[in-house]
């Protein structure tokens, strides 16, 4: 009540008079308000340590948030730059298989990647998608046969829960999303890959988001490569768009020049199929 | 063209594929008199339809009629059917499109307009612009068959993943070789 009255006498409460003489009175009002705040703080500060505790906690929180933001900006900046040192050791690689067409494109890429550099390899596909891991297994087996080894020891295959199946109700999908997130986190803690290769659809999003958080908190640095599907000619897919806009993908490749012109940070690599 | 006049007609098959789901409007379109007439006019003798989970069942017709029609739901030997076809009419999935193009078969892609997120037409239209295939809708399929000139189609050279592999290697600091 008293505060309100004071405000009124400073000319804040009466909007009519405030509007009429805005420029000349604004400074007066601000000065008077700060005076009033000072008074309030001094009155309370004498006998109440609560204010001090709150202010310390607040400034600490602000500091932490600022530090995290700075770290995020650094991670984004650093992620865009290629490694300057020569890579000497093989890098553990996570390969996220989409389904049907996505998997076919990914396997075309894997066919030309040097397997001794990208090892060990961890394949992840959605729990509902049985074909993709089989196809990857075939590729790994043929590799092992070429090298003369019997078992493809450098490869592991895992299925991941999906957060939402087609036609699932929204209420149960809250629960399944939670399970899917925990599962994704558990897999990422186990694998801690240095390289992530993915090309959509949605399965890769939680895994890439966790990988990005690992980078921010210094748990594991990884390079995330996303290859947009050849089916995307004019617009990025939702997964591609998310990884592009949120700067999660270190490098985002597209297969059509007109798509690159629309998303300048993307790199046109021509058709994979 | 001895086959055209002789009673020993050469087999010219059309293979229709809807993929792993259903695409009733495509099956209904190829089963329509309009499309069948145009196919016969173009010299095709057989029509084989992979109808997937669709509920519309096309009408079978005898081998010796002007256009023999047969259908099935799913098969593990889609590649064989593609290989033996003279013309492929396919849904817009990238898997079917590239498998057919790699086999060098003339292709009409029919875009499913009932799909919610219809990004699939992007690829079909782009490849049609580049003259690798024809792109149609279920209701315009007969027109596309009537107007098509298979000699004007350009062969599709398969893509190459080496550029992207090189970029990934370079980014990670692996030497070129």
């Amino acid at each position: 009540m008293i505060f309100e009255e004071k405000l009124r006498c400073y000319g804040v409460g009466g909007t009519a008079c405030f509007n009429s003489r805005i420029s000349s009175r604004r400074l007066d009002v601000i000065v008077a308000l700060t005076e009033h705040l000072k008074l309030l703080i001094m009155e309370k500060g004498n006998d109440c340590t609560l204010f001090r505790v709150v202010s310390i906690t607040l400034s600490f929180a602000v500091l932490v948030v600022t530090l995290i933001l700075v770290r995020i900006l650094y991670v984004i900046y650093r992620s865009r730059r290629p490694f300057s040192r020569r890579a000497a050791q093989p890098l553990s690689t996570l390969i996220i298989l989409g389904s049907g067409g996505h998997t076919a494109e990914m396997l075309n890429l894997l066919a030309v990647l040097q397997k001794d550099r990208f090892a060990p390899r961890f394949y992840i596909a959605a729990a509902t998608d049985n074909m993709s891991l089989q196809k990857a297994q075939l590729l790994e087996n043929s590799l092992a046969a070429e090298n003369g080894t019997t078992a493809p020891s450098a490869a592991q295959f895992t299925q991941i829960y999906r957060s939402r199946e087609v036609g699932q109700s929204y209420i149960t999908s809250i629960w399944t999303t939670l399970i899917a997130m925990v599962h994704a986190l558990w897999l990422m803690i186990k694998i801690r890959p240095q390289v992530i290769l993915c090309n959509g659809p949605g399965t890769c999003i939680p895994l890439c988001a966790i990988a990005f958080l690992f980078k921010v908190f210094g748990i594991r640095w990884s390079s995330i490569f996303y290859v947009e599907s050849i089916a995307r000619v004019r617009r990025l897919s939702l997964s591609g768009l998310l990884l592009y806009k949120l700067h999660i993908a270190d490098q985002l490749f597209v297969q059509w020049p007109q798509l690159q012109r629309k998303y300048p940070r993307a790199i046109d690599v021509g058709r994979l199929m | 063209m001895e086959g055209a006049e002789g009673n020993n007609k050469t087999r010219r098959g059309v293979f229709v594929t809807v993929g792993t789901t259903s695409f009733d409007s495509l099956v209904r379109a190829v089963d329509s008199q309009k499309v069948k007439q145009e196919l016969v006019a173009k010299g095709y003798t057989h029509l084989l339809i992979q109808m997937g989970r669709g509920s519309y069942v096309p009408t079978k017709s005898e081998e010796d009629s002007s256009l023999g029609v047969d259908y099935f739901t799913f098969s593990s030997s889609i590649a064989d059917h593609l290989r033996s076809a003279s013309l492929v009419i396919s849904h817009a999935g990238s898997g079917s499109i590239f498998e057919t193009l790699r086999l060098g078969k003339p292709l009409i892609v029919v875009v499913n307009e009932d799909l919610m997120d219809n990004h699939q037409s992007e690829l079909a239209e782009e490849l049609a612009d580049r003259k690798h295939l024809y792109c149609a809708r279920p209701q315009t399929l007969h027109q596309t068959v009537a107007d098509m000139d298979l000699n004007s189609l350009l062969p599709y050279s398969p893509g190459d993943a080496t550029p992207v592999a090189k970029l990934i290697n370079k980014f990670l600091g692996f030497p070129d070789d």
Side-chain angles (χ1 to χ4, degrees), chain A residues 188 193 196 206-216 220 222 224:
Chain A
M188 285 300 285
I196 297 178
L207 295 164
C208 288
I210 292 166
F212 187 78
L213 289 179
F214 279 11
K215 283 160 96 165
V216 170
R220 174 65 116 186
S222 57
I224 304 172

Side-chain angles (χ1 to χ4, degrees), chain A residues 13-34:
Chain A
T15 42
C17 97
F18 185 69
N19 283 342
S20 60
R21 280 166 279 174
I22 281 176
S23 50
S24 61
R25 294 204 75 176
R26 184 175 280 168
L27 206 71
D28 295 352
V29 170
I30 292 170
V31 169
L33 269 175
T34 27

Side-chain angles (χ1 to χ4, degrees), chain A residues 48-64:
Chain A
C48 184
T49 52
L50 183 74
F51 178 77
R52 207 173 273 172
V53 172
V54 168
S55 79
I56 289 171
T57 322
L58 262 176
S59 31
F60 187 71
V62 167
L63 184 75
V64 169

Side-chain angles (χ1 to χ4, degrees), chain A residues 9 69 108 160 252:
Chain A
C9 77
L69 280 176
N108 270 9
I160 186 166
L252 192 135

